[in-house]
PDB file of all heavy atoms in Angstrom:
ATOM      1  N   PRO M 542       1.663  24.440 -37.771  1.00  0.00           N
ATOM      2  CA  PRO M 542       2.405  25.403 -38.589  1.00  0.00           C
ATOM      3  C   PRO M 542       2.948  26.529 -37.702  1.00  0.00           C
ATOM      4  O   PRO M 542       2.272  26.955 -36.765  1.00  0.00           O
ATOM      5  CB  PRO M 542       1.342  25.960 -39.541  1.00  0.00           C
ATOM      6  CG  PRO M 542       0.179  25.033 -39.463  1.00  0.00           C
ATOM      7  CD  PRO M 542       0.254  24.323 -38.147  1.00  0.00           C
ATOM      8  N   THR M 543       4.167  26.971 -38.008  1.00  0.00           N
ATOM      9  CA  THR M 543       4.682  28.159 -37.332  1.00  0.00           C
ATOM     10  C   THR M 543       4.205  29.359 -38.134  1.00  0.00           C
ATOM     11  O   THR M 543       4.553  29.521 -39.311  1.00  0.00           O
ATOM     12  CB  THR M 543       6.221  28.124 -37.273  1.00  0.00           C
ATOM     13  OG1 THR M 543       6.610  26.886 -36.658  1.00  0.00           O
ATOM     14  CG2 THR M 543       6.762  29.291 -36.460  1.00  0.00           C
ATOM     15  N   LEU M 544       3.353  30.150 -37.510  1.00  0.00           N
ATOM     16  CA  LEU M 544       2.694  31.240 -38.232  1.00  0.00           C
ATOM     17  C   LEU M 544       3.708  32.287 -38.678  1.00  0.00           C
ATOM     18  O   LEU M 544       4.714  32.533 -37.988  1.00  0.00           O
ATOM     19  CB  LEU M 544       1.627  31.888 -37.337  1.00  0.00           C
ATOM     20  CG  LEU M 544       0.503  30.945 -36.887  1.00  0.00           C
ATOM     21  CD1 LEU M 544      -0.364  31.614 -35.829  1.00  0.00           C
ATOM     22  CD2 LEU M 544      -0.346  30.497 -38.076  1.00  0.00           C
ATOM     23  N   ASP M 545       3.424  32.885 -39.828  1.00  0.00           N
ATOM     24  CA  ASP M 545       4.287  33.934 -40.370  1.00  0.00           C
ATOM     25  C   ASP M 545       3.974  35.231 -39.621  1.00  0.00           C
ATOM     26  O   ASP M 545       2.948  35.863 -39.859  1.00  0.00           O
ATOM     27  CB  ASP M 545       4.015  34.074 -41.867  1.00  0.00           C
ATOM     28  CG  ASP M 545       4.893  35.158 -42.488  1.00  0.00           C
ATOM     29  OD1 ASP M 545       5.629  35.844 -41.730  1.00  0.00           O
ATOM     30  OD2 ASP M 545       4.838  35.317 -43.717  1.00  0.00           O
ATOM     31  N   ARG M 546       4.863  35.593 -38.746  1.00  0.00           N
ATOM     32  CA  ARG M 546       4.578  36.744 -37.893  1.00  0.00           C
ATOM     33  C   ARG M 546       4.777  38.073 -38.614  1.00  0.00           C
ATOM     34  O   ARG M 546       4.513  39.133 -38.041  1.00  0.00           O
ATOM     35  CB  ARG M 546       5.428  36.663 -36.626  1.00  0.00           C
ATOM     36  CG  ARG M 546       5.113  35.431 -35.766  1.00  0.00           C
ATOM     37  CD  ARG M 546       3.761  35.568 -35.077  1.00  0.00           C
ATOM     38  NE  ARG M 546       3.351  34.287 -34.443  1.00  0.00           N
ATOM     39  CZ  ARG M 546       2.348  34.191 -33.578  1.00  0.00           C
ATOM     40  NH1 ARG M 546       1.637  35.250 -33.267  1.00  0.00           N
ATOM     41  NH2 ARG M 546       2.037  33.022 -33.071  1.00  0.00           N
ATOM     42  N   ALA M 547       5.290  38.016 -39.857  1.00  0.00           N
ATOM     43  CA  ALA M 547       5.314  39.242 -40.651  1.00  0.00           C
ATOM     44  C   ALA M 547       3.898  39.541 -41.127  1.00  0.00           C
ATOM     45  O   ALA M 547       3.485  40.685 -41.269  1.00  0.00           O
ATOM     46  CB  ALA M 547       6.251  39.074 -41.842  1.00  0.00           C
ATOM     47  N   LYS M 548       3.150  38.470 -41.329  1.00  0.00           N
ATOM     48  CA  LYS M 548       1.777  38.615 -41.805  1.00  0.00           C
ATOM     49  C   LYS M 548       0.811  38.785 -40.616  1.00  0.00           C
ATOM     50  O   LYS M 548      -0.144  39.562 -40.676  1.00  0.00           O
ATOM     51  CB  LYS M 548       1.454  37.347 -42.594  1.00  0.00           C
ATOM     52  CG  LYS M 548       0.110  37.309 -43.230  1.00  0.00           C
ATOM     53  CD  LYS M 548       0.066  36.127 -44.200  1.00  0.00           C
ATOM     54  CE  LYS M 548      -1.340  35.763 -44.570  1.00  0.00           C
ATOM     55  NZ  LYS M 548      -1.396  34.433 -45.177  1.00  0.00           N
ATOM     56  N   TYR M 549       1.055  37.994 -39.580  1.00  0.00           N
ATOM     57  CA  TYR M 549       0.180  38.034 -38.406  1.00  0.00           C
ATOM     58  C   TYR M 549       0.846  38.818 -37.275  1.00  0.00           C
ATOM     59  O   TYR M 549       2.049  39.089 -37.315  1.00  0.00           O
ATOM     60  CB  TYR M 549      -0.124  36.604 -37.938  1.00  0.00           C
ATOM     61  CG  TYR M 549      -0.866  35.786 -38.972  1.00  0.00           C
ATOM     62  CD1 TYR M 549      -0.257  34.702 -39.591  1.00  0.00           C
ATOM     63  CD2 TYR M 549      -2.168  36.124 -39.329  1.00  0.00           C
ATOM     64  CE1 TYR M 549      -0.934  33.959 -40.555  1.00  0.00           C
ATOM     65  CE2 TYR M 549      -2.857  35.381 -40.295  1.00  0.00           C
ATOM     66  CZ  TYR M 549      -2.233  34.299 -40.899  1.00  0.00           C
ATOM     67  OH  TYR M 549      -2.901  33.587 -41.834  1.00  0.00           O
ATOM     68  N   ALA M 550       0.061  39.116 -36.263  1.00  0.00           N
ATOM     69  CA  ALA M 550       0.592  39.894 -35.132  1.00  0.00           C
ATOM     70  C   ALA M 550       1.668  39.096 -34.387  1.00  0.00           C
ATOM     71  O   ALA M 550       1.661  37.866 -34.406  1.00  0.00           O
ATOM     72  CB  ALA M 550      -0.554  40.243 -34.185  1.00  0.00           C
ATOM     73  N   PRO M 551       2.593  39.799 -33.726  1.00  0.00           N
ATOM     74  CA  PRO M 551       3.667  39.087 -33.027  1.00  0.00           C
ATOM     75  C   PRO M 551       3.149  38.249 -31.854  1.00  0.00           C
ATOM     76  O   PRO M 551       2.142  38.578 -31.225  1.00  0.00           O
ATOM     77  CB  PRO M 551       4.585  40.204 -32.521  1.00  0.00           C
ATOM     78  CG  PRO M 551       3.825  41.466 -32.669  1.00  0.00           C
ATOM     79  CD  PRO M 551       2.738  41.249 -33.675  1.00  0.00           C
ATOM     80  N   ALA M 552       3.889  37.180 -31.599  1.00  0.00           N
ATOM     81  CA  ALA M 552       3.486  36.254 -30.535  1.00  0.00           C
ATOM     82  C   ALA M 552       3.603  36.871 -29.150  1.00  0.00           C
ATOM     83  O   ALA M 552       3.074  36.337 -28.180  1.00  0.00           O
ATOM     84  CB  ALA M 552       4.336  34.981 -30.615  1.00  0.00           C
ATOM     85  N   SER M 553       4.275  38.006 -29.054  1.00  0.00           N
ATOM     86  CA  SER M 553       4.402  38.655 -27.747  1.00  0.00           C
ATOM     87  C   SER M 553       3.037  39.048 -27.185  1.00  0.00           C
ATOM     88  O   SER M 553       2.901  39.301 -25.989  1.00  0.00           O
ATOM     89  CB  SER M 553       5.308  39.882 -27.845  1.00  0.00           C
ATOM     90  OG  SER M 553       4.809  40.753 -28.844  1.00  0.00           O
ATOM     91  N   GLY M 554       2.025  39.077 -28.053  1.00  0.00           N
ATOM     92  CA  GLY M 554       0.665  39.342 -27.590  1.00  0.00           C
ATOM     93  C   GLY M 554       0.200  38.335 -26.553  1.00  0.00           C
ATOM     94  O   GLY M 554      -0.704  38.608 -25.761  1.00  0.00           O
ATOM     95  N   LEU M 555       0.840  37.176 -26.522  1.00  0.00           N
ATOM     96  CA  LEU M 555       0.472  36.141 -25.556  1.00  0.00           C
ATOM     97  C   LEU M 555       0.548  36.671 -24.120  1.00  0.00           C
ATOM     98  O   LEU M 555      -0.222  36.238 -23.252  1.00  0.00           O
ATOM     99  CB  LEU M 555       1.384  34.923 -25.727  1.00  0.00           C
ATOM    100  CG  LEU M 555       1.205  33.798 -24.716  1.00  0.00           C
ATOM    101  CD1 LEU M 555       1.283  32.432 -25.390  1.00  0.00           C
ATOM    102  CD2 LEU M 555       2.220  33.875 -23.583  1.00  0.00           C
ATOM    103  N   ALA M 556       1.457  37.611 -23.896  1.00  0.00           N
ATOM    104  CA  ALA M 556       1.628  38.136 -22.534  1.00  0.00           C
ATOM    105  C   ALA M 556       0.339  38.756 -22.006  1.00  0.00           C
ATOM    106  O   ALA M 556       0.172  38.921 -20.799  1.00  0.00           O
ATOM    107  CB  ALA M 556       2.759  39.155 -22.504  1.00  0.00           C
ATOM    108  N   LYS M 557      -0.580  39.119 -22.915  1.00  0.00           N
ATOM    109  CA  LYS M 557      -1.858  39.683 -22.465  1.00  0.00           C
ATOM    110  C   LYS M 557      -2.958  38.629 -22.434  1.00  0.00           C
ATOM    111  O   LYS M 557      -4.124  38.946 -22.227  1.00  0.00           O
ATOM    112  CB  LYS M 557      -2.247  40.854 -23.348  1.00  0.00           C
ATOM    113  CG  LYS M 557      -1.268  42.015 -23.163  1.00  0.00           C
ATOM    114  CD  LYS M 557      -1.786  43.285 -23.753  1.00  0.00           C
ATOM    115  CE  LYS M 557      -0.995  44.455 -23.160  1.00  0.00           C
ATOM    116  NZ  LYS M 557      -1.048  45.634 -24.015  1.00  0.00           N
ATOM    117  N   GLY M 558      -2.604  37.393 -22.649  1.00  0.00           N
ATOM    118  CA  GLY M 558      -3.581  36.318 -22.524  1.00  0.00           C
ATOM    119  C   GLY M 558      -4.310  36.034 -23.816  1.00  0.00           C
ATOM    120  O   GLY M 558      -4.512  34.884 -24.181  1.00  0.00           O
TER     121      GLY M 558
END
Side-chain angles (χ1 to χ4, degrees):
T543 305
L544 299 171
D545 180 355
R546 297 288 170 167
K548 183 168 163 196
Y549 298 113
S553 55
L555 175 139
K557 293 194 162 158

